[in-house]
Amino acid sequence: MDITQYKPKGKLNNKHLLTLKDYTANEIYEILLRAAELKNMNRRGKKQRCLSGKTVALIFAKSSTRTRVSFEQGVRQLGGVPLFLSSNDIQLGRGETIHDTVKVLERYGIDAIMIRTFKQSDLEDLARFGTIPVINGLTDDFHPCQVLADLLTVYEVFKRLEGIKFAYFGDGNNMANSLMLGCAKVGMKVYICSPKGFEPNPEIVAEAQKFGEVVVTDSVEEAATGADVLYTDVFFSMGQAADKKKSDALMPYQVNESVMDMASKEAVFMHCLPAHRGEEVTEGVIDSPRSVIFEQAENRLHAQKAVMSLLIK
Ligand code: CP
Ligand code: NVA
C-alpha cells in the first residue's frame, strides 16, 4: 500500500525505535502522517500535550545540534520534560553498564530514553534490559529518526513516496544503511552509489532488497540519471579519523552541478547535515533553490514528536 491510501490507526506494534528493519511500511506511514498532523498543528499554534507528566532522558555519547535541540524542543512542545545527559558526565562514560544505567533511570520515573551512541548493540541492550521505550538518535550503524524526517520531506515535495528514484552518493555509512531500509520499505527505487571499498554493509543491503528495488553501484551516471532525490553525507562520520585514501576515493562521488544536471528537472538535493561544503557537496548545490536541507532539519522535530507520541504511553 502507498502512503496516499493509508488510513492511520493511531498506534504502532513496535515498542522501540531501534532500526527501521523492525518497522513495516504501514508503521512508517503511521509516523509520517502523525508528523504531518503535528506539523500542521504547530503552524496553527495548536498544542498537543500527550507527554504531560512524562520525562524523556536524552543520552548523548557523540556531538549533536539537530538531534539534541529537536528532541528537547519536541518533548517540551508535547508537554513533557527533557533530561539531557551527556555520557561524559554520567557514570556510563566511566564504564557503568547499560544494564545498571537503565535500571536506575527507571527507578527515578524516566518514561523513555533517546540515545545517541556508538554501538548498535548498546542501544539494543538498553531496550532489552529496561521496560521503557528506547529511541535511536544515531549509532554507528543506523539513524532512523533522520530517515523519518527525510521521508516526510520527500512526501511534502512530491506528494507521494512510491516510485520515487532516490540516489545516495558517498560513504556506505549509518545514513546509507537507514535510507536503504526506509526508502525501500515505502516503495522507492533506491540507488546507493559508493566507491569500491566503501559500500554499505552487504547484510543490510540484502535485508533492504527483500522490501524493494535497491541497487548498489559505483556508477554516478547510473544513480543520478533521472533521479528525483540526490542525497549525500559526510566523508567521515563521528568517531572516524580523517584519512586521505578515503577522501580521495569519495571525491568523485561529490554531488556537484554536473551530477544535478543528470537528474530529473524537479530533483531535489538532500543532506542530513552537518555538511562539508567542497567535499561531499559543492556550495552551489547545497545553497541552491533545489536544496531542501532546512526542511529536512525542521522535519526532525515533527517526525520525532510523532514517534514519541506513538511510543510513549
Ligand atoms: N542530522 C543530525 O543528526 O544532526 P546532528 O548530528 O546535529 O544531531
Ligand atoms: N554519518 C554521519 C551522520 C551525522 C548526522 C555521522 O555519523 O557522523
Side-chain angles (χ1 to χ4, degrees):
M1 191 194 299
D2 181 21
I3 189 167
T4 54
Q5 287 112 43
Y6 182 76
K7 299 272 171 291
K9 314 272 178 298
K11 61 181 177 63
L12 295 176
N13 292 328
N14 274 285
K15 178 172 175 190
H16 307 284
L17 174 57
L18 306 178
T19 147
L20 291 175
K21 258 192 228 174
D22 310 328
Y23 277 66
T24 61
N26 283 357
E27 285 184 294
I28 295 174
Y29 302 151
E30 189 74 39
I31 296 169
L32 299 182
L33 295 175
R34 171 71 64 95
E37 184 191 339
L38 289 169
K39 182 170 183 175
N40 193 272
M41 286 173 71
N42 223 27
R43 292 274 195 270
R44 290 184 290 127
K46 272 190 72 186
K47 304 233 180 301
Q48 221 290 18
R49 316 292 284 176
C50 61
L51 293 189
S52 173
K54 309 274 188 205
T55 304
V56 181
L58 309 175
I59 305 177
F60 285 87
K62 293 177 176 174
S63 310
S64 170
T65 299
R66 280 144 288 270
T67 307
R68 176 173 175 180
V69 180
S70 58
F71 266 104
E72 287 205 19
Q73 279 297 81
V75 174
R76 277 194 207 98
Q77 288 179 9
L78 293 175
V81 176
L83 179 64
F84 172 75
L85 300 168
S86 159
S87 70
N88 291 331
D89 302 334
I90 59 173
Q91 299 289 8
L92 191 61
R94 294 183 58 246
E96 185 167 19
T97 63
I98 293 276
H99 174 272
D100 292 357
T101 305
V102 65
K103 291 288 178 202
V104 169
L105 292 181
E106 286 184 344
R107 293 289 176 121
Y108 296 136
I110 297 296
D111 297 286
I113 300 174
M114 189 292 311
I115 182 166
R116 164 167 289 195
T117 191
F118 294 86
K119 287 178 12 209
Q120 180 73 12
S121 59
D122 283 350
L123 171 96
E124 285 167 8
D125 283 348
L126 261 187
R128 195 154 54 93
F129 297 136
T131 59
I132 55 178
V134 174
I135 299 170
N136 184 349
L138 180 144
T139 62
D140 291 345
D141 297 328
F142 298 109
H143 197 2
C145 289
Q146 180 66 51
V147 172
L148 291 169
D150 297 339
L151 292 176
L152 177 61
T153 310
V154 173
Y155 181 49
E156 287 172 341
V157 172
F158 295 100
K159 312 288 176 237
R160 67 186 169 101
L161 295 171
E162 206 171 15
I164 294 287
K165 179 171 176 181
F166 182 97
Y168 171 91
F169 298 87
D171 192 24
N173 59 15
N174 45 8
M175 280 313 312
N177 290 342
S178 280
L179 285 165
M180 270 190 305
L181 290 167
C183 295
K185 287 198 175 190
V186 301
M188 293 185 186
K189 293 179 271 181
V190 186
Y191 284 74
I192 303 290
C193 184
S194 306
K196 294 257 177 298
F198 298 97
E199 299 97 339
N201 178 335
E203 280 171 30
I204 301 167
V205 175
E207 177 76 21
Q209 281 170 335
K210 287 189 209 154
F211 303 102
E213 194 177 328
V214 179
V215 177
V216 178
T217 175
D218 62 359
S219 159
V220 171
E221 199 179 341
E222 183 186 2
T225 302
D228 299 298
V229 178
L230 296 95
Y231 198 117
T232 188
D233 187 17
V234 289
F235 289 173
F236 303 100
S237 287
M238 289 180 276
Q240 294 177 346
D243 112 75
K244 189 167 168 342
K245 208 171 127 244
K246 187 174 181 188
S247 48
D248 286 349
L250 287 167
M251 209 55 210
Y253 293 79
Q254 181 190 63
V255 180
N256 54 33
E257 286 73 356
S258 62
V259 177
M260 289 302 291
D261 284 345
M262 295 180 213
S264 119
K265 273 202 204 61
E266 282 76 41
V268 292
F269 171 77
M270 297 180 77
H271 193 309
C272 56
L273 303 180
H276 293 229
R277 287 167 171 76
E279 292 187 11
E280 72 274 9
V281 58
T282 56
E283 203 174 300
V285 169
I286 196 169
D287 298 325
S288 76
R290 298 170 90 177
S291 168
V292 293
I293 55 171
F294 298 120
E295 280 73 17
Q296 290 175 260
E298 178 187 336
N299 283 339
R300 292 293 301 277
L301 174 73
H302 310 299
Q304 290 157 193
K305 281 169 72 179
V307 169
M308 290 190 287
S309 77
L310 288 161
L311 291 182
I312 305 173
K313 305 283 184 289

Short mmCIF file of all heavy atoms in Angstrom, two decimals, residues 165-173 176 180 189-202 205 209 213-225 227 229-231 249-250 252-254 259 262:
data_model
loop_
_atom_site.label_atom_id
_atom_site.label_comp_id
_atom_site.label_asym_id
_atom_site.label_seq_id
_atom_site.Cartn_x
_atom_site.Cartn_y
_atom_site.Cartn_z
N LYS A 165 12.68 7.87 -7.55
CA LYS A 165 14.06 7.37 -7.68
C LYS A 165 14.93 8.15 -6.72
O LYS A 165 15.12 9.37 -6.85
CB LYS A 165 14.58 7.50 -9.12
CG LYS A 165 16.04 7.00 -9.22
CD LYS A 165 16.58 6.88 -10.64
CE LYS A 165 18.06 6.47 -10.61
NZ LYS A 165 18.67 6.35 -11.93
N PHE A 166 15.47 7.43 -5.75
CA PHE A 166 16.25 8.03 -4.66
C PHE A 166 17.71 7.60 -4.82
O PHE A 166 18.00 6.40 -4.82
CB PHE A 166 15.69 7.51 -3.33
CG PHE A 166 16.38 8.08 -2.13
CD1 PHE A 166 15.84 9.17 -1.46
CD2 PHE A 166 17.58 7.55 -1.69
CE1 PHE A 166 16.49 9.71 -0.36
CE2 PHE A 166 18.24 8.10 -0.59
CZ PHE A 166 17.70 9.18 0.07
N ALA A 167 18.62 8.56 -4.96
CA ALA A 167 20.03 8.21 -5.16
C ALA A 167 20.89 8.80 -4.04
O ALA A 167 20.85 10.02 -3.80
CB ALA A 167 20.50 8.75 -6.52
N TYR A 168 21.61 7.92 -3.37
CA TYR A 168 22.53 8.34 -2.30
C TYR A 168 23.96 8.20 -2.83
O TYR A 168 24.30 7.16 -3.39
CB TYR A 168 22.32 7.45 -1.07
CG TYR A 168 23.37 7.68 0.01
CD1 TYR A 168 23.16 8.61 1.02
CD2 TYR A 168 24.57 6.96 0.00
CE1 TYR A 168 24.13 8.84 1.99
CE2 TYR A 168 25.55 7.19 0.96
CZ TYR A 168 25.32 8.12 1.95
OH TYR A 168 26.29 8.35 2.91
N PHE A 169 24.77 9.22 -2.60
CA PHE A 169 26.15 9.22 -3.08
C PHE A 169 27.12 9.29 -1.90
O PHE A 169 26.95 10.15 -1.01
CB PHE A 169 26.40 10.43 -3.99
CG PHE A 169 25.53 10.42 -5.20
CD1 PHE A 169 24.26 10.98 -5.16
CD2 PHE A 169 25.94 9.79 -6.37
CE1 PHE A 169 23.42 10.94 -6.26
CE2 PHE A 169 25.11 9.74 -7.48
CZ PHE A 169 23.85 10.32 -7.42
N GLY A 170 28.12 8.42 -1.89
CA GLY A 170 29.19 8.57 -0.91
C GLY A 170 29.39 7.36 -0.03
O GLY A 170 29.21 6.22 -0.45
N ASP A 171 29.76 7.65 1.21
CA ASP A 171 30.16 6.60 2.14
C ASP A 171 28.98 5.68 2.50
O ASP A 171 27.90 6.17 2.83
CB ASP A 171 30.70 7.29 3.41
CG ASP A 171 31.41 6.32 4.34
OD1 ASP A 171 31.89 5.26 3.87
OD2 ASP A 171 31.50 6.63 5.55
N GLY A 172 29.21 4.41 2.49
CA GLY A 172 28.18 3.43 2.87
C GLY A 172 28.05 3.36 4.38
O GLY A 172 28.36 2.33 4.99
N ASN A 173 27.57 4.43 4.98
CA ASN A 173 27.60 4.58 6.44
C ASN A 173 26.22 4.37 7.08
O ASN A 173 25.31 3.82 6.45
CB ASN A 173 28.16 5.97 6.77
CG ASN A 173 27.32 7.10 6.17
OD1 ASN A 173 26.18 6.88 5.75
ND2 ASN A 173 27.86 8.30 6.14
N ALA A 176 23.42 5.71 4.89
CA ALA A 176 23.14 4.83 3.74
C ALA A 176 22.33 3.61 4.20
O ALA A 176 21.34 3.23 3.57
CB ALA A 176 24.45 4.39 3.09
N MET A 180 18.47 3.09 2.95
CA MET A 180 18.13 1.91 2.14
C MET A 180 16.89 1.23 2.68
O MET A 180 15.98 0.90 1.94
CB MET A 180 19.26 0.88 2.23
CG MET A 180 20.31 1.01 1.22
SD MET A 180 21.40 -0.40 1.25
CE MET A 180 22.00 -0.52 2.89
N LYS A 189 12.64 3.59 -5.48
CA LYS A 189 13.72 2.87 -6.18
C LYS A 189 15.02 3.45 -5.63
O LYS A 189 15.30 4.63 -5.85
CB LYS A 189 13.63 3.09 -7.68
CG LYS A 189 12.39 2.46 -8.28
CD LYS A 189 12.31 2.71 -9.77
CE LYS A 189 11.57 4.00 -10.02
NZ LYS A 189 11.38 4.39 -11.39
N VAL A 190 15.79 2.63 -4.92
CA VAL A 190 16.94 3.15 -4.18
C VAL A 190 18.25 2.80 -4.88
O VAL A 190 18.49 1.63 -5.20
CB VAL A 190 16.96 2.55 -2.75
CG1 VAL A 190 18.07 3.20 -1.92
CG2 VAL A 190 15.62 2.71 -2.06
N TYR A 191 19.07 3.80 -5.11
CA TYR A 191 20.42 3.60 -5.66
C TYR A 191 21.42 4.08 -4.62
O TYR A 191 21.35 5.23 -4.18
CB TYR A 191 20.61 4.40 -6.96
CG TYR A 191 19.89 3.74 -8.12
CD1 TYR A 191 18.51 3.80 -8.22
CD2 TYR A 191 20.61 3.04 -9.09
CE1 TYR A 191 17.84 3.17 -9.25
CE2 TYR A 191 19.94 2.41 -10.14
CZ TYR A 191 18.57 2.48 -10.21
OH TYR A 191 17.91 1.84 -11.23
N ILE A 192 22.34 3.20 -4.23
CA ILE A 192 23.41 3.60 -3.33
C ILE A 192 24.68 3.61 -4.17
O ILE A 192 25.09 2.56 -4.70
CB ILE A 192 23.56 2.61 -2.15
CG1 ILE A 192 22.24 2.48 -1.37
CG2 ILE A 192 24.73 3.02 -1.24
CD1 ILE A 192 21.82 3.68 -0.56
N CYS A 193 25.26 4.78 -4.32
CA CYS A 193 26.39 4.94 -5.23
C CYS A 193 27.65 5.24 -4.42
O CYS A 193 27.83 6.35 -3.91
CB CYS A 193 26.05 6.09 -6.18
SG CYS A 193 27.29 6.32 -7.43
N SER A 194 28.47 4.22 -4.26
CA SER A 194 29.67 4.34 -3.42
C SER A 194 30.86 3.75 -4.16
O SER A 194 30.70 2.80 -4.94
CB SER A 194 29.49 3.52 -2.13
OG SER A 194 28.33 3.88 -1.46
N PRO A 195 32.05 4.28 -3.86
CA PRO A 195 33.23 3.68 -4.49
C PRO A 195 33.53 2.31 -3.88
O PRO A 195 33.11 2.03 -2.76
CB PRO A 195 34.35 4.67 -4.13
CG PRO A 195 33.87 5.40 -2.93
CD PRO A 195 32.37 5.41 -3.00
N LYS A 196 34.26 1.50 -4.65
CA LYS A 196 34.65 0.17 -4.15
C LYS A 196 35.36 0.31 -2.81
O LYS A 196 36.18 1.21 -2.62
CB LYS A 196 35.61 -0.50 -5.14
CG LYS A 196 34.96 -0.82 -6.48
CD LYS A 196 34.63 -2.31 -6.59
CE LYS A 196 33.91 -2.69 -7.87
NZ LYS A 196 32.60 -2.11 -8.14
N GLY A 197 34.99 -0.53 -1.88
CA GLY A 197 35.61 -0.50 -0.56
C GLY A 197 34.83 0.35 0.44
O GLY A 197 35.09 0.27 1.64
N PHE A 198 33.88 1.15 -0.05
CA PHE A 198 33.11 2.00 0.86
C PHE A 198 31.60 1.77 0.68
O PHE A 198 30.78 2.64 0.97
CB PHE A 198 33.48 3.48 0.67
CG PHE A 198 34.93 3.72 1.00
CD1 PHE A 198 35.89 3.76 -0.01
CD2 PHE A 198 35.35 3.83 2.32
CE1 PHE A 198 37.24 3.93 0.29
CE2 PHE A 198 36.69 4.00 2.63
CZ PHE A 198 37.64 4.05 1.61
N GLU A 199 31.25 0.57 0.19
CA GLU A 199 29.84 0.24 0.01
C GLU A 199 29.20 -0.03 1.37
O GLU A 199 29.90 -0.36 2.32
CB GLU A 199 29.68 -1.03 -0.86
CG GLU A 199 30.25 -0.93 -2.25
CD GLU A 199 31.66 -1.52 -2.35
OE1 GLU A 199 32.34 -1.63 -1.30
OE2 GLU A 199 32.05 -1.85 -3.47
N PRO A 200 27.87 0.06 1.43
CA PRO A 200 27.21 -0.27 2.71
C PRO A 200 27.32 -1.76 3.04
O PRO A 200 27.63 -2.58 2.16
CB PRO A 200 25.75 0.14 2.46
CG PRO A 200 25.59 0.22 0.99
CD PRO A 200 26.94 0.47 0.39
N ASN A 201 27.04 -2.07 4.29
CA ASN A 201 27.08 -3.44 4.79
C ASN A 201 26.19 -4.37 3.94
O ASN A 201 25.00 -4.13 3.80
CB ASN A 201 26.56 -3.36 6.25
CG ASN A 201 26.50 -4.68 6.93
OD1 ASN A 201 26.38 -5.74 6.30
ND2 ASN A 201 26.55 -4.64 8.24
N PRO A 202 26.79 -5.42 3.33
CA PRO A 202 26.01 -6.28 2.41
C PRO A 202 24.81 -6.96 3.08
O PRO A 202 23.81 -7.23 2.43
CB PRO A 202 27.02 -7.31 1.92
CG PRO A 202 28.28 -7.08 2.67
CD PRO A 202 28.19 -5.80 3.42
N VAL A 205 22.12 -4.45 2.90
CA VAL A 205 21.67 -4.34 1.50
C VAL A 205 20.69 -5.49 1.22
O VAL A 205 19.59 -5.28 0.70
CB VAL A 205 22.86 -4.40 0.51
CG1 VAL A 205 22.37 -4.42 -0.93
CG2 VAL A 205 23.82 -3.23 0.74
N GLN A 209 16.80 -5.25 0.22
CA GLN A 209 16.35 -5.78 -1.08
C GLN A 209 15.13 -6.69 -0.95
O GLN A 209 14.42 -6.92 -1.92
CB GLN A 209 17.51 -6.52 -1.79
CG GLN A 209 18.46 -5.52 -2.43
CD GLN A 209 19.75 -6.14 -2.93
OE1 GLN A 209 20.17 -7.19 -2.43
NE2 GLN A 209 20.39 -5.50 -3.90
N GLU A 213 13.31 -2.32 -4.55
CA GLU A 213 14.40 -2.21 -5.51
C GLU A 213 15.57 -1.44 -4.88
O GLU A 213 15.43 -0.25 -4.61
CB GLU A 213 13.85 -1.46 -6.73
CG GLU A 213 14.70 -1.54 -7.95
CD GLU A 213 14.04 -0.81 -9.12
OE1 GLU A 213 12.79 -0.78 -9.22
OE2 GLU A 213 14.82 -0.25 -9.92
N VAL A 214 16.68 -2.13 -4.64
CA VAL A 214 17.85 -1.47 -4.07
C VAL A 214 19.06 -1.87 -4.92
O VAL A 214 19.38 -3.04 -5.03
CB VAL A 214 18.10 -1.90 -2.60
CG1 VAL A 214 19.35 -1.22 -2.04
CG2 VAL A 214 16.90 -1.57 -1.73
N VAL A 215 19.70 -0.87 -5.53
CA VAL A 215 20.83 -1.13 -6.40
C VAL A 215 22.07 -0.49 -5.78
O VAL A 215 22.03 0.69 -5.44
CB VAL A 215 20.59 -0.51 -7.81
CG1 VAL A 215 21.79 -0.69 -8.72
CG2 VAL A 215 19.32 -1.06 -8.43
N VAL A 216 23.13 -1.27 -5.62
CA VAL A 216 24.40 -0.70 -5.16
C VAL A 216 25.30 -0.61 -6.39
O VAL A 216 25.50 -1.61 -7.09
CB VAL A 216 25.04 -1.57 -4.06
CG1 VAL A 216 26.39 -0.99 -3.63
CG2 VAL A 216 24.11 -1.67 -2.85
N THR A 217 25.78 0.58 -6.67
CA THR A 217 26.57 0.78 -7.89
C THR A 217 27.74 1.72 -7.62
O THR A 217 27.66 2.54 -6.69
CB THR A 217 25.67 1.36 -9.02
OG1 THR A 217 26.49 1.65 -10.16
CG2 THR A 217 24.97 2.64 -8.62
N ASP A 218 28.78 1.63 -8.46
CA ASP A 218 29.84 2.64 -8.34
C ASP A 218 29.74 3.63 -9.50
O ASP A 218 30.63 4.47 -9.68
CB ASP A 218 31.23 1.99 -8.23
CG ASP A 218 31.59 1.18 -9.46
OD1 ASP A 218 30.75 1.08 -10.40
OD2 ASP A 218 32.71 0.62 -9.49
N SER A 219 28.65 3.55 -10.27
CA SER A 219 28.49 4.47 -11.40
C SER A 219 27.60 5.66 -11.03
O SER A 219 26.39 5.50 -10.80
CB SER A 219 27.87 3.71 -12.58
OG SER A 219 27.26 4.61 -13.47
N VAL A 220 28.21 6.84 -10.99
CA VAL A 220 27.46 8.07 -10.65
C VAL A 220 26.36 8.30 -11.70
O VAL A 220 25.23 8.66 -11.36
CB VAL A 220 28.43 9.28 -10.58
CG1 VAL A 220 27.67 10.60 -10.45
CG2 VAL A 220 29.41 9.11 -9.42
N GLU A 221 26.70 8.01 -12.95
CA GLU A 221 25.73 8.25 -14.02
C GLU A 221 24.49 7.36 -13.84
O GLU A 221 23.35 7.82 -13.96
CB GLU A 221 26.40 7.96 -15.36
CG GLU A 221 25.66 8.59 -16.49
CD GLU A 221 26.33 8.33 -17.82
OE1 GLU A 221 27.53 7.96 -17.84
OE2 GLU A 221 25.63 8.47 -18.83
N GLU A 222 24.73 6.08 -13.51
CA GLU A 222 23.59 5.16 -13.34
C GLU A 222 22.68 5.65 -12.20
O GLU A 222 21.45 5.62 -12.31
CB GLU A 222 24.13 3.75 -13.02
CG GLU A 222 23.02 2.73 -12.89
CD GLU A 222 23.51 1.35 -12.42
OE1 GLU A 222 24.71 1.18 -12.14
OE2 GLU A 222 22.63 0.46 -12.32
N ALA A 223 23.29 6.09 -11.11
CA ALA A 223 22.48 6.50 -9.95
C ALA A 223 21.79 7.85 -10.20
O ALA A 223 20.63 8.03 -9.83
CB ALA A 223 23.37 6.59 -8.71
N ALA A 224 22.49 8.77 -10.83
CA ALA A 224 21.97 10.15 -10.94
C ALA A 224 20.95 10.33 -12.07
O ALA A 224 20.05 11.17 -11.96
CB ALA A 224 23.11 11.13 -11.13
N THR A 225 21.07 9.52 -13.12
CA THR A 225 20.22 9.75 -14.29
C THR A 225 18.74 9.61 -13.94
O THR A 225 18.31 8.56 -13.48
CB THR A 225 20.62 8.80 -15.45
OG1 THR A 225 22.00 9.03 -15.72
CG2 THR A 225 19.80 9.06 -16.70
N ALA A 227 17.14 10.77 -11.50
CA ALA A 227 16.81 10.68 -10.07
C ALA A 227 15.92 11.84 -9.64
O ALA A 227 16.04 12.96 -10.14
CB ALA A 227 18.08 10.65 -9.24
N VAL A 229 15.61 12.41 -6.18
CA VAL A 229 16.27 12.89 -4.97
C VAL A 229 17.74 12.51 -5.04
O VAL A 229 18.08 11.35 -5.34
CB VAL A 229 15.66 12.23 -3.70
CG1 VAL A 229 16.41 12.70 -2.45
CG2 VAL A 229 14.17 12.51 -3.58
N LEU A 230 18.62 13.49 -4.78
CA LEU A 230 20.05 13.21 -4.68
C LEU A 230 20.46 13.53 -3.25
O LEU A 230 20.20 14.64 -2.77
CB LEU A 230 20.86 14.04 -5.68
CG LEU A 230 20.53 13.69 -7.13
CD1 LEU A 230 19.49 14.63 -7.68
CD2 LEU A 230 21.78 13.71 -7.99
N TYR A 231 21.08 12.56 -2.59
CA TYR A 231 21.34 12.67 -1.15
C TYR A 231 22.81 12.36 -0.92
O TYR A 231 23.37 11.47 -1.58
CB TYR A 231 20.47 11.63 -0.43
CG TYR A 231 20.26 11.84 1.07
CD1 TYR A 231 18.98 12.06 1.57
CD2 TYR A 231 21.31 11.78 1.98
CE1 TYR A 231 18.76 12.24 2.94
CE2 TYR A 231 21.08 11.96 3.35
CZ TYR A 231 19.81 12.18 3.82
OH TYR A 231 19.59 12.35 5.17
N ALA A 249 38.98 8.56 -2.52
CA ALA A 249 38.03 7.62 -3.12
C ALA A 249 36.64 8.24 -3.23
O ALA A 249 35.90 7.98 -4.18
CB ALA A 249 37.97 6.33 -2.29
N LEU A 250 36.27 9.07 -2.23
CA LEU A 250 34.90 9.61 -2.20
C LEU A 250 34.71 10.86 -3.04
O LEU A 250 33.59 11.18 -3.45
CB LEU A 250 34.47 9.89 -0.75
CG LEU A 250 34.17 8.63 0.08
CD1 LEU A 250 34.07 8.96 1.56
CD2 LEU A 250 32.88 7.95 -0.39
N PRO A 252 35.20 11.66 -6.17
CA PRO A 252 34.44 11.55 -7.45
C PRO A 252 32.94 11.32 -7.25
O PRO A 252 32.18 11.34 -8.22
CB PRO A 252 35.09 10.34 -8.14
CG PRO A 252 36.40 10.12 -7.44
CD PRO A 252 36.23 10.62 -6.04
N TYR A 253 32.52 11.10 -6.03
CA TYR A 253 31.09 10.87 -5.73
C TYR A 253 30.43 12.12 -5.16
O TYR A 253 29.30 12.08 -4.69
CB TYR A 253 30.95 9.65 -4.78
CG TYR A 253 31.38 8.41 -5.50
CD1 TYR A 253 32.74 8.11 -5.66
CD2 TYR A 253 30.45 7.58 -6.12
CE1 TYR A 253 33.16 7.02 -6.40
CE2 TYR A 253 30.85 6.48 -6.86
CZ TYR A 253 32.20 6.21 -6.99
OH TYR A 253 32.60 5.13 -7.73
N GLN A 254 31.16 13.23 -5.23
CA GLN A 254 30.63 14.52 -4.78
C GLN A 254 29.36 14.87 -5.57
O GLN A 254 29.31 14.66 -6.79
CB GLN A 254 31.67 15.61 -5.03
CG GLN A 254 31.24 16.99 -4.59
CD GLN A 254 32.20 18.07 -5.07
OE1 GLN A 254 32.35 18.27 -6.27
NE2 GLN A 254 32.85 18.73 -4.14
N VAL A 259 26.36 16.54 -11.63
CA VAL A 259 25.55 15.39 -11.16
C VAL A 259 24.08 15.81 -11.11
O VAL A 259 23.19 15.07 -11.55
CB VAL A 259 26.05 14.89 -9.77
CG1 VAL A 259 25.18 13.75 -9.27
CG2 VAL A 259 27.51 14.45 -9.85
N MET A 262 22.22 15.61 -14.37
CA MET A 262 21.79 14.29 -14.88
C MET A 262 20.42 13.90 -14.31
O MET A 262 19.75 13.01 -14.83
CB MET A 262 22.78 13.20 -14.45
CG MET A 262 24.16 13.33 -15.04
SD MET A 262 25.14 11.93 -14.39
CE MET A 262 26.73 12.69 -14.28
#
